[in-house]
Amino acid sequence: MSEAKLSARGQPAPDAVRWTCPHGRHAAKGCVACYEAATEADPALPLWRIAVWFTSERPMPIRVLKDVRRHGRHFALDQPSTPLVYLLSGQARAATSAEAIAGLVGFLVGNRHIVDAFTVTEIRAVIAP
Ligand SMILES: [Zn+2]
């Protein structure tokens, strides 16, 4: 099983390369191009199961959290018990974990009506069995 974990605090420099998507963006910052590329991803590519924890500057209404599920990509946005901490999870096909993560976070970047300012604090990505 291939697994990638990121704690957003303090990345050693060589590790940063692993977290860079094909468009040169850090996966934790999100990439709209990766998000869009995932729509037409080659079915032969690995399917990643991704979970991204992030903090929002403002609380998100429950209605918004539920709307994410209707988005068509089977992403889920949940609120664990900590205030202003959210969990975005989903699956995506991509060649690398960085690309899969950048695409999932890219969903947030491309949908500013969901969350306008956020900081990713933790990421988990595993290849789905
Ligand atoms: Zn990208």
Side-chain angles (χ1 to χ4, degrees), residues 84-107:
L84 301 181
V85 173
Y86 297 89
L87 169 62
L88 177 66
S89 54
Q91 296 191 348
R93 288 196 187 279
T96 65
S97 59
E99 202 173 338
I101 295 160
L104 185 72
V105 182
F107 166 74

Side-chain angles (χ1 to χ4, degrees), residues 4 18 20 34 36 57 60 62 65 85:
R18 286 180 56 210
T20 305
C34 279
E36 282 166 1
E57 284 178 15
M60 278 187 265
I62 296 288
L65 302 186
V85 173

Side-chain angles (χ1 to χ4, degrees), residues 20-25 30-35 98-99 102-103:
T20 305
C21 87
H23 313 95
R25 290 186 57 89
C31 175
V32 174
C34 279
Y35 171 69
E99 202 173 338

